[in-house]
Amino acid sequence: MKKLNQNELLDQRIALLTAQHKQELNEIKEQFRLVQESISPSNIIQEGLQGVYETVTNKNHLLPTVLSIVGGYISKKVIVGSSSNPIKKVLGTVLQFVVTNYLTKVSSNETVSDTEEPELNKL
């Protein structure tokens, strides 16, 4: 008699785990679909253009942004040159990304400090 109860408990546990497995599989499929959608070329281009548009509409940050992009591009060209080595190209792209982000952060910090009033003037 006790064995029958254990079999029923086992069947219930199997049914519960099967339902949990189906739910997790559906969640993984949804996550995969979202990742696939986010890395589609059209979505990447759209997000890039939207970022450029937002940057251009904020004219206070236009010059620092352009300078940081140009600085990143120049740093890549100086390091990589006209090399056909794929590893060097990847490293150049990473360097360009790092330099561009660094210059953007530096220029945005300078812009913020330029627009703030010194503490003595506020008194």
Side-chain angles (χ1 to χ4, degrees), residues 3 5 13 17 22 28 30-31 41 50 54 59 63 69 76-77 87 102-104:
K3 194 171 192 172
N5 283 338
R13 183 72 177 148
L17 289 174
K22 287 180 181 178
I28 289 172
E30 179 64 22
Q31 283 294 328
Q50 183 179 10
E54 289 172 358
K59 294 180 180 162
L63 183 62
I69 291 171
K76 178 182 177 184
K77 282 299 179 183
I87 295 173
Y102 175 75
L103 292 175
T104 302

Side-chain angles (χ1 to χ4, degrees), residues 4-23:
L4 185 61
N5 283 338
Q6 288 183 356
N7 284 338
E8 289 174 358
L9 290 174
L10 185 60
D11 289 339
Q12 289 175 355
R13 183 72 177 148
I14 289 173
L16 180 68
L17 289 174
T18 303
Q20 183 181 359
H21 174 72
K22 287 180 181 178
Q23 180 184 4

Side-chain angles (χ1 to χ4, degrees), residues 16-57:
L16 180 68
L17 289 174
T18 303
Q20 183 181 359
H21 174 72
K22 287 180 181 178
Q23 180 184 4
E24 289 175 354
L25 183 63
N26 287 336
E27 290 173 2
I28 289 172
K29 286 180 181 179
E30 179 64 22
Q31 283 294 328
F32 178 75
R33 187 190 64 75
L34 291 173
V35 168
Q36 189 177 22
E37 182 180 307
S38 71
I39 62 171
S40 70
S42 63
N43 196 18
I44 292 173
I45 291 171
Q46 181 182 7
E47 288 175 2
L49 290 176
Q50 183 179 10
V52 169
Y53 176 74
E54 289 172 358
T55 302
V56 170
T57 56

Side-chain angles (χ1 to χ4, degrees), residues 42 48 68 81 103 108 113 119:
S42 63
S68 64
L103 292 175
S108 67
S113 64
E119 289 294 322

